[in-house]
Amino acid sequence: MKTRFVLIETSHAGNVGAAARAMKTMGFDELVLVRPRWENVLRKEETIQRASGALDVLANARVVDTLDEALDGISHLCATAMTPRDFGPPTRMPRQHFEMLMKGELDVRSAPAPAPEGDLAPGSAVADAAQPACNQTGVGLLFGCERFGMSNDDVYRCDVALSIPSNPQFGSLNLGAAIQVVAYEWRQALGGFPVEEHAPEPLRADVAQVGGMLTHWEQALTHIGFLDPAAPKKLMPRLNQMFNRAQLTQEEIHILRGVAKRMLMSQPANR
């Protein structure tokens, strides 16, 4: 689903870079800045450093003068606001809202939201009939400036105010961290990414390899005097059962054979 991250009046260049990085790690690439403090913020050294490789997101980012320009083509707007408003859209946790959105439990617009002007009349873009989430033009995730957050007017035009559940005594998140959390929750709602193994699954040793290793060990144990061939008792069957429970890999077989080889190189035990 089309997703756009919109940063309003960002004051710290590093946070723009951090936003790009947070977005890319979750597979998003559309970033729009509304009246950032620095006109050249996308080219500032601090921005590039904090992006940490997400330069393609910065290269495709746009800087606009108004929120209306940033929301062109977006039909569902999510504000991020830690402080609840007495009036405005409902406040929900990101996970809760995104699940409702993907299940089609919410009324969604078929056109971008206009800036509020008086009461909403029937037939306006905000009051139009709902359609399933999958038919939306796109989802906009709005973030306010670092010092003041989002203005009431900007929050009022949104469908929801997302509130990240955090420590009530210390709930303020850095802008980049907030974007990372919301991007993660939205990606999970969209299906997420599979966890990739960093290393291939080790190859299990087969019966012949285990048997060959046990023969090698029998020779080595006899050599050092630990095993008496005349009275072996049940030592080798017990070792066989132990190694079977261990589900040895081929690499572990090589290690155990190396140990046996070293044992055979030692001085034979006195008998």
Side-chain angles (χ1 to χ4, degrees), residues 48-61:
I48 294 171
Q49 289 179 355
R50 290 287 300 279
S52 190
L55 301 182
D56 52 338
V57 178
L58 294 180
N60 294 326

Side-chain angles (χ1 to χ4, degrees), residues 200-217:
E201 189 72 21
L203 296 175
R204 285 278 307 277
D206 59 28
V207 174
Q209 290 169 325
V210 174
M213 182 271 298
L214 284 168
T215 299
H216 202 170
W217 265 67

Side-chain angles (χ1 to χ4, degrees), residues 171-204:
S172 179
L173 283 173
N174 171 270
L175 178 58
I179 292 172
Q180 186 72 80
V181 172
V182 173
Y184 170 79
E185 293 290 359
W186 181 222
R187 174 53 62 192
Q188 291 300 103
L190 293 173
F193 292 122
V195 176
E196 297 182 6
E197 294 288 344
H198 291 291
E201 189 72 21
L203 296 175
R204 285 278 307 277

Side-chain angles (χ1 to χ4, degrees), residues 19 80 93 96 107-108 137 164 196 210 212 223 247-248 257:
T80 51
M93 294 183 295
Q96 174 194 17
D107 290 346
V108 296
T137 308
I164 298 172
E196 297 182 6
V210 174
H223 179 77
Q247 299 184 347
L248 298 172
R257 275 185 170 270

Side-chain angles (χ1 to χ4, degrees), residues 90-208:
T91 298
R92 299 191 184 104
M93 294 183 295
R95 184 174 305 179
Q96 174 194 17
H97 182 75
F98 293 152
E99 287 178 354
M100 295 172 66
L101 182 62
M102 295 307 296
K103 291 178 181 178
E105 297 175 356
L106 302 172
D107 290 346
V108 296
R109 291 181 288 263
S110 58
E117 295 181 1
D119 294 335
L120 297 176
S124 68
V126 178
D128 279 344
Q131 57 180 355
C134 58
N135 292 332
Q136 293 179 70
T137 308
V139 171
L141 301 169
L142 279 57
F143 298 82
C145 70
E146 294 88 336
R147 292 185 61 191
F148 305 111
M150 290 185 62
S151 70
N152 286 336
D153 286 343
D154 291 340
V155 173
Y156 292 160
R157 70 189 300 180
C158 294
D159 299 282
V160 66
L162 299 179
S163 180
I164 298 172
S166 56
N167 182 355
Q169 281 73 47
F170 193 75
S172 179
L173 283 173
N174 171 270
L175 178 58
I179 292 172
Q180 186 72 80
V181 172
V182 173
Y184 170 79
E185 293 290 359
W186 181 222
R187 174 53 62 192
Q188 291 300 103
L190 293 173
F193 292 122
V195 176
E196 297 182 6
E197 294 288 344
H198 291 291
E201 189 72 21
L203 296 175
R204 285 278 307 277
D206 59 28
V207 174

